Amino acid sequence: MTVRRDFKEPARCRPDLVIGRDELFTAARDQLTRGGSVLLHGPAGIGKSTVLRALAADYGESARTVLRCSATESESHLPFLALADLFGLVLDEISDKLPVAQRTALESALTGRGESTLQRDGLALRLAVLSALRALAAAGPVLLVADDLQWLDSASAELLGFAARRLGDTPVQLLCAVRTEEQEYDRHLRASPPDTLAVRLNPLSRAQVSALLDHRGYTDLPRSTMREIHRTSGGNPLFALELGRALGESPTPPRPGEPLPVPTSLRALVLSRLDMLSGEARRTLLVASAGARPTLALLHAAGRENAEAETAQAAALGLLATEPEGPAVRFAHPLISAALYAEAPAQERRAAHAALSTAASDPIERARNLALATTGTDPEVAARLAEAAALARDRGAPSVAASLGLLAARHTPPDGAPAPDDRRLQAAEDAITAGEVDLARDIAREVLTRATVPAERIRAWEVVIEAAGQSLGEVDAVFPQALADAGDDPRLLALVHYRLAWRKLIVEGDFAEAREEAAHTADLAARGDDRRTELMALSFQASTETLMGHPNAPTTIKRALREPQDPYVACHHNGVGAARFRWLLMSDQLPEARSTITALLREVRRRGMVESEVHFQRFLAETELRSGHCGRALDLARESLRLARDSGIGLGASAMLASLAEASGGDVDRALALAREAAGKAEEDGDQMYVSRALAALGHAQLVAGDAAGAVGSLRRVRELEQGLGITDPARGRWQGDLAEALVRVGEPGEAQDVIDVTREHALRLGRESVLAVLDRAEAMVRAARGDHEAALSRLTSVQDRLAKLGYGLEEARAAFALAMLRTGRPGPTSYDEAARLFRRCRALPWLRQVDAAVAAAAPGAVAVPQQTAPPSDALEGLASMERQVAALVMEGATNREIAARLFISVKTVEATLTRVYRKLGIRSRVDIVRLAAGRHAK
């Protein structure tokens, strides 16, 4: 089909493409924009056609003519079919421009008249295709779009390859897609123009698969199911969508431990070669599909005596991956294993599991297979599964423990001890630890429908509240019910009041009330002899006191550190280790803070505590950022954000920290987008505590981006929010120095000084040395803006030394940058080398770009600004302080950029100030100011 410029189709959105394909799409689009060609390749279902269509719609508008063809396997034997698709509608336009012999050959091939063949009319046809493309290109650019090149009839493929290799500078571009495995695209690339870019589409990540399914309407699938869909599909979009559709249409979800149901459409796709296997080989593969880590030795132990020959037969058919060096039996794609298992009758599956229940060497694997081989309740099987779950928990595999716990509950008799619901709740708690909050919440809600024992109900309510994460406002109705269930039992009441303390902080944003509630919880837990809850409450109280600048924080931390300790609390993200880390970080003890959080991160990874891992990775990134290790911080922050998106935990907080890291060491536009995402997520969750943190990140990114006015707007709101929250410790968000600097840049040095004075009082009270140094840097800018440059220079030199001794590398570099900017235009040497060196050491790329811009502005040829002299007072009478300074520098010949650098304000602020000066002095331009100065001096 051909689409000319005057017959455009309506613009189409590309909803699926933006999920996981942005960078790929941009690279391909750039290649096409440069005049090159693109070959998309990858396995079936990976999304090649989607990307191809989107690129054609997006770039096709630039071409005068778009030629399209899409081949199918059933039609691949028909010669010249693709050629007819491409040129059929333009034949009339080009036929009279071709030599007679070429025109005759091409018309014969396209219409089928004359029975043209490559053997008889080979040269004429080859030249005809080349001439046809050149004729079309003479009238304007041509884009040739071909999907499924692997099914192109051989005659059309040969002709197109001949023309493609000879197009040279002719404005004809190819946009093609071909199904390949590994490096098979080479032969297609050889038949493409020399400047063709080969782009391989790789599998989607788990978060991208989840986003794709959400977009298609499969929004109610638990995260544990999403994880299985990603694993089974191998990240293939088509496979993932088909699995999601099958699950969405299924009335019952798969049982714990069982593979996902595979729809018939996918079974036919991946098992087309299964009928070629012998019956015994098929049974061997079924045993392999039922095992977690199948090996030849395991298959032998499970009774498959001829496993070597049977797996070799399957490998020859492409069902198994060939790994001659390793003992593992690996399916060519996870979906083959799932489809093979789904295809087998239930009796054969149970037989395979029964064989593996004795053959497997790992006790967890033996217990899992025993459960799947057993029907109905069985106390012995349930006990073995519970033991296996405990072993998985100890190994740091809480997700496996949750799955085994649910299997144990399923096989536990109703009157068993422990009861089935006890085992379900343990599974729910394991799921929480593993970050599978949807599964945990569903289990707890189910238990609540029948539980009557108060302790059991409170345990279930805890899971429901924990699963809500930062969105505690969504479970407000739970708290009265939980308090009623707790009665007057101090142990149960402590559990509920601990959650209420978090609600006071997150939903109501009241630090003082949250602190009181935490203290009350600790007392209740002590009365109920619940040391774990007591330690969690004390840790929460200590963290709250630290963040609000309460003098009791060190004492409360010491109380939380007293023996006996609880290993779980010690490494939990809301436990005493985390509380101590916050104190160290805010107290400028960076090396000790780093070692503390590194040890905590190592421990939670060992235990498989996903939520704690998300938070601790973010904490470590923050520590590295404070230390000026921007590259390392950026890597950690991006990984934390990826893990948060994957697990659905701590997304707002991770986006906030990633924004700070991007603004310091990455991409400022990305920093702005992440900060806005974090603020939106906090607002959506009703999380008062993180709204201010996200806005502080936004203000910082705006300042780095040069939007001082935007930074002032964001950070003023942070100031209002934190005053309302009762937060007085400036080390919590460290936004005050940014606000003061932004205020100076917009011409508000008075307000900047007020911010500095108020913050300094709290910083002095709490001994926050790094905060005091940053405030002094901001105050130097205020003094410079007021014309006191000598005092500003002296203070900045001192600040740089102090920050270096404290280990705040990035803040040290910012002080050096401010010092270099202040010296610009003054007598004596001016060098940005020191600032550039320090920023380079930090890998602070956005700041290095600012240094480059400043160096360019101060390059030879720019008007030098002599040392400021006092202007005639009567000439500038009636002007405000900032207006007088700007006017005086104009009188001395300074450019707007130089004035901005000297006064630490933005160029926009200089322009706005000059407008007010013109109005007040009754003049029209800066030339009139210079003339005014000359006239006054002449007198």
Side-chain angles (χ1 to χ4, degrees), residues 71 91 196 272 314 525 544 556 611 790 799 855 885:
L91 185 58
T196 299
S272 58
T544 306
T556 307
E611 184 172 7
E790 294 304 326
V799 164
V855 170
Q885 291 182 74

Side-chain angles (χ1 to χ4, degrees), residues 311-528:
T311 54
Q313 181 187 359
L317 292 171
L319 295 167
L320 294 179
T322 54
E323 292 184 353
E325 306 253 335
V329 175
R330 186 169 64 85
F331 285 87
H333 191 282
L335 190 60
I336 296 175
S337 172
L340 179 66
Y341 186 91
E343 191 84 356
Q347 184 176 355
E348 290 186 17
R349 292 187 211 169
R350 286 196 295 271
H353 286 298
L356 290 169
S357 69
T358 56
S361 59
D362 185 82
I364 292 176
E365 185 64 6
R366 287 200 302 272
R368 185 185 76 88
N369 280 289
L370 178 62
L372 294 174
T374 305
T375 57
T377 59
D378 187 319
E380 184 179 345
V381 171
R384 285 184 58 183
L385 284 164
E387 292 170 3
L391 180 59
R393 200 175 303 121
D394 290 342
R395 288 182 181 178
S399 179
V400 175
S403 176
L404 292 167
L406 288 175
L407 284 170
R410 191 173 111 202
H411 290 286
T412 301
D415 57 351
D421 280 347
D422 281 340
R423 284 177 167 154
R424 288 189 181 92
L425 288 173
Q426 179 61 65
E429 290 161 357
D430 286 330
I432 285 285
T433 302
E436 297 176 8
V437 293
D438 295 336
L439 174 62
R441 181 184 57 246
D442 291 346
I443 296 169
R445 290 285 188 187
E446 180 196 349
V447 169
L448 283 166
T449 61
R450 54 179 173 266
T452 57
V453 178
E456 201 172 76
R457 291 185 62 80
I458 294 298
R459 193 177 173 190
W461 285 129
E462 274 205 289
V463 171
V464 171
I465 297 169
E466 184 76 19
Q470 300 295 105
S471 305
L472 283 178
E474 296 179 2
V475 292
D476 267 350
V478 165
F479 292 102
Q481 299 177 66
L483 285 170
D485 285 335
D488 57 1
D489 186 329
R491 189 184 185 92
L492 299 182
L493 283 170
L495 295 171
V496 181
H497 279 278
Y498 176 71
R499 305 294 174 179
L500 281 169
W502 276 103
R503 187 192 174 281
K504 292 283 186 185
L505 182 62
I506 292 174
V507 179
E508 298 180 17
D510 193 325
F511 273 71
E513 285 291 327
R515 173 182 175 272
E516 292 297 326
E517 192 70 65
H520 179 51
T521 299
D523 291 341
L524 285 169
R527 284 166 46 199

Side-chain angles (χ1 to χ4, degrees), residues 707-723:
D707 181 11
V712 167
S714 298
L715 296 174
R716 277 176 174 163
R717 190 178 169 207
V718 175
R719 179 174 56 184
E720 294 169 3
L721 286 170
E722 295 207 348
Q723 285 174 350

Side-chain angles (χ1 to χ4, degrees), residues 103-165:
R103 180 170 67 244
T104 301
L106 183 61
E107 288 177 348
S108 177
L110 297 186
T111 61
R113 295 191 296 270
E115 298 183 358
S116 176
T117 65
L118 272 181
Q119 184 176 0
R120 190 180 69 186
D121 301 321
L123 181 58
L125 272 174
R126 289 175 173 84
L127 293 175
V129 172
L130 181 59
S131 298
L133 289 172
R134 286 173 174 166
L136 289 170
V142 176
L143 178 66
L144 191 154
V145 181
D147 198 3
D148 282 319
L149 281 185
Q150 74 277 3
W151 304 131
L152 229 63
D153 64 273
S154 58
S156 295
E158 204 284 332
L159 291 171
L160 290 174
F162 174 87
R165 292 189 295 271

Side-chain angles (χ1 to χ4, degrees), residues 689-702:
M689 185 170 65
Y690 264 102
V691 169
S692 65
R693 293 295 306 272
L695 287 173
L698 177 59
H700 178 73
Q702 288 167 323

Side-chain angles (χ1 to χ4, degrees), residues 172-194:
V172 177
Q173 296 169 266
L174 273 66
L175 172 59
C176 306
V178 61
R179 181 188 300 181
T180 59
E181 297 293 342
E182 304 303 330
Q183 300 301 314
E184 292 177 4
Y185 69 93
D186 281 354
R187 64 184 179 89
H188 297 285
L189 195 59
R190 287 193 293 271
S192 302

